[in-house]
Amino acid sequence: MDLATVRSLTEQHGEGWALAHAERLLSLVALLAAKSAYDHQVVAYAAYLHDWAALAQWGSARENHAARSAQIAREQVLALTGLEQARQELVIEAIALHDYRDTRTPP
């Protein structure tokens, strides 16, 4: 599943907010990391997928949406992307740790 498809699914199921939210994140990353090297594709997959569990298509209001979004990414999307396993794990880690209520220290 290529990035354009993931973006399209985010737009299609995003209830009017998810695509704009993801693209704002991507704009902020580009601004903050303008002089730094980073994996744009990994960041883009993480941005588009990080809130999928908050969407009616995949989630539930009762779930930890960060953990559930990471699970969705792992089980339903990333294996279809062609990303190497190490890059898939970076996407999953970014999604799992994105919730401000998560008190774990990122690696």
Side-chain angles (χ1 to χ4, degrees):
M1 184 178 307
D2 65 7
L3 194 52
T5 301
V6 172
R7 182 192 181 280
S8 178
L9 287 168
T10 302
E11 180 177 33
Q12 180 182 350
H13 299 287
E15 303 168 6
W17 62 268
L19 182 64
H21 174 58
E23 293 189 338
R24 177 169 164 70
L25 289 174
L26 291 170
S27 294
L28 290 171
V29 168
L31 180 67
L32 293 170
K35 297 181 181 178
S36 301
Y38 67 96
D39 189 327
H40 296 259
Q41 193 174 33
V42 164
V43 171
Y45 273 108
Y48 289 123
L49 293 167
H50 82 278
D51 277 338
W52 273 24
L55 308 179
Q57 176 74 17
W58 293 283
S60 161
R62 290 175 275 165
E63 294 179 284
N64 173 333
H65 90 278
R68 175 69 178 127
S69 292
Q71 179 185 20
I72 293 164
R74 179 185 305 277
E75 295 176 359
Q76 298 179 32
V77 179
L78 293 175
L80 305 174
T81 64
L83 287 175
E84 301 86 13
Q85 188 63 38
R87 293 172 77 207
Q88 290 182 36
E89 292 302 321
L90 289 172
V91 173
I92 292 163
E93 180 179 59
I95 294 169
L97 293 174
H98 89 271
D99 194 323
Y100 69 91
R101 293 165 289 209
D102 190 328
T103 59
R104 295 176 289 171
T105 302

